[in-house]
DNA sequence: AGCTACACCTGATAGC
DNA sequence: TGCTATCAGGTGTAGC
């Protein structure tokens, strides 16, 4: 389920189960699901991105991941765009560090769902789902024993333990944790370590190049508009560029462009200042509606933490509707490839000239 | 520096 | 039936 609304549905679904839970065991069934995980002082076996993992490198990677996560106490999951991470309490016996020690950089369990990743919340005795690659056995003070199963058919997604570093702008790393903290303080409780950690202005080192997403309060609209209007590539390519704005994927790019009446091939340079602002508005609008409907699911592939599909596929105006009449002007929708991805649009009401 | 093409995977479906 | 080609919601990087 992998664009911003789908990832947020997963994050919110995981939050109550993970916050304050202890990882009692970790089971890596397929080390290829850890392709972003760098073993701490490994390096005995190379095997970075794109390189097929040797059996030795796979075992080393899995072993390091299991050791560093087992025993960890988890915080509230945080999300920026399509990246999600769960802060790991430093009190965890991760590396034999005693409670209260200030040594050791803060770290998090980082997750990306890729094209087909799922995070499934299951009871300890529940039967296997298909394509489970990594399994966490956790114990929660209230919800007791649970399993978090990371299932991923295509293996473009991944889990990793990553270092947390300060954000460039000093604002929180992403969304999540903040509402947890306010709920705690509203109850008069002292914020826990985990919630304080999650609202800290930290981000996994691997996600440092990912821009804030369109729903982030600290997103800089003017900066995005300027960047868009300086690019020769198509407006759709810029929308998909996670360094400019994150969270937008192929579905919501097509939907936002349809709503803004912008032709996907229009160069960024050709988008006027007003249209640039409107485009952000449309991205937020479609994200908000998709979120309210539980995200977009075309089949059983994309589901929430309970394995349930979202309903937003019924509300799509452009994506996957080639040949259908445009909901605004009845012109049959067309499809073309842009940057290797299929794009769906109305050639009549989505203008190549911006107003 | 900016841009394009491709690699990384499995599985469903269409056409022969 | 069984082959091949194409397509799928994403990202990182090599090479121009």
């Amino acid at each position: 389920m992998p664009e911003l609304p789908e990832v947020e549905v997963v994050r919110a679904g995981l939050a109550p189960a993970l916050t304050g839970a202890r990882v009692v065991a970790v089971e890596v069934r397929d080390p290829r699901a850890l392709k972003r995980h760098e073993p701490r002082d490994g390096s005995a076996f190379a095997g970075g991105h794109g390189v097929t993992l040797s059996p030795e490198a796979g075992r080393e990677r899995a072993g390091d991941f299991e050791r560093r996560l087992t025993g960890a106490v988890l915080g509230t999951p945080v999300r920026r765009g399509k990246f999600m991470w769960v802060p790991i309490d430093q009190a965890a016996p991760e590396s034999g560090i005693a409670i209260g020690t200030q040594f050791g950089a803060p770290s998090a369990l980082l997750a990306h769902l890729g094209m087909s990743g799922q995070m499934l919340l299951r009871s300890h005795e529940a039967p296997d789902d298909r394509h489970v690659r990594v399994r966490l056995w956790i114990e929660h003070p209230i919800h007791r024993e649970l399993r978090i199963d990371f299932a991923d058919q295509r293996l473009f997604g991944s889990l990793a333990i990553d270092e947390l570093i300060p954000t460039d702008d000093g604002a929180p790393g992403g969304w999540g944790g903040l509402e947890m903290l306010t709920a705690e303080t509203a109850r008069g409780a002292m914020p826990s370590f985990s919630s304080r950690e999650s609202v800290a202005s930290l981000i996994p080192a691997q996600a440092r190049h990912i821009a804030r997403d369109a729903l982030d309060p600290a997103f800089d609209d003017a900066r995005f508009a300027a960047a868009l209007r300086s690019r020769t590539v198509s407006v759709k390519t810029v929308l998909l560029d996670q360094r400019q704005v994150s969270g937008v994927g192929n579905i919501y790019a097509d939907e936002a462009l349809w709503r803004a009446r912008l032709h996907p091939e229009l160069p960024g340079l050709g988008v006027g200042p007003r249209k640039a602002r409107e485009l952000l508005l449309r991205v937020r609008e479609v994200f908000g509606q998709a979120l309210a409907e539980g995200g977009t699911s075309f089949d059983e592939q994309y589901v929430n933490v309970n394995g349930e599909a979202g309903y937003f596929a019924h509300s799509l105006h452009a994506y996957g509707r080639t040949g259908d009449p445009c909901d605004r002007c009845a012109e049959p929708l067309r499809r073309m490839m842009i940057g290797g991805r299929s794009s769906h649009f109305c050639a009549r009401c989505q203008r190549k000239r911006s107003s």
Side-chain angles (χ1 to χ4, degrees), chain A residues 171-209:
Chain A
W175 173 258
L178 202 59
E179 75 274 42
M180 215 67 186
L181 184 64
T182 49
E184 272 184 62
T185 46
R187 284 201 316 268
M190 190 66 172
S192 68
F193 174 88
S194 299
S195 57
R196 277 185 286 120
E197 191 68 22
S198 62
V199 294
S201 298
L202 299 172
I203 186 159
Q206 287 188 44
R208 67 190 311 170
H209 64 292

Side-chain angles (χ1 to χ4, degrees), chain A residues 46-60:
Chain A
H49 300 278
V51 182
T52 308
L53 217 52
S54 72
E56 294 80 13
R59 276 193 295 276
E60 176 183 321

Side-chain angles (χ1 to χ4, degrees), chain A residues 213-269:
Chain A
D213 60 62
L215 296 185
D216 190 320
F219 186 82
D220 188 339
D221 287 24
R223 211 191 117 276
F224 173 80
L228 172 63
R229 289 164 38 69
S230 74
R231 303 282 297 274
T232 59
V233 292
S234 72
V235 57
K236 170 150 183 182
T237 302
V238 179
L239 267 185
L240 292 176
D241 184 348
Q242 308 294 302
R243 293 166 310 180
Q244 304 304 334
V245 55
S246 69
V248 184
N250 208 30
I251 297 177
Y252 297 107
D254 283 1
E255 293 303 306
L257 290 167
W258 183 89
R259 288 169 183 238
R261 301 183 191 225
L262 280 169
H263 194 289
E265 266 191 315
L266 176 70
L269 294 165

Side-chain angles (χ1 to χ4, degrees), chain A residues 18-41:
Chain A
L18 292 192
T19 308
R22 177 178 292 274
V23 178
V24 295
V26 178
E27 185 184 333
V28 176
R29 296 186 172 187
D30 192 332
R32 292 176 300 172
L34 303 180
K35 68 178 170 201
R36 293 163 185 273
H37 180 75
E38 287 301 323
R40 187 173 264 162
D41 35 45

Side-chain angles (χ1 to χ4, degrees), chain A residues 10 13 19 30 38 125 131 153 156 161 164 167 187 252-253 266 268 277 283 285 292 300 304 310 319 340-341 344 347:
Chain A
V10 170
T19 308
D30 192 332
E38 287 301 323
E125 62 278 1
H131 308 303
Q153 181 207 113
F156 288 172
I161 308 295
L164 291 170
T167 53
R187 284 201 316 268
Y252 297 107
L266 176 70
R277 295 290 188 138
V283 169
E285 182 185 82
E300 262 70 280
N304 67 14
Y319 186 85
R341 330 258 335 249
H344 314 75

Side-chain angles (χ1 to χ4, degrees), chain A residues 27-30 33 118 120 122 127-136 147-153 155:
Chain A
E27 185 184 333
V28 176
R29 296 186 172 187
D30 192 332
Q118 306 174 341
L120 301 167
R122 299 295 192 222
D128 273 8
D129 293 275
R130 290 188 78 186
H131 308 303
V132 172
R133 313 293 188 181
V134 179
R135 172 167 290 169
L136 310 187
R147 271 179 8 216
I148 307 295
D149 287 351
F150 176 66
D152 187 10
Q153 181 207 113
L155 289 158

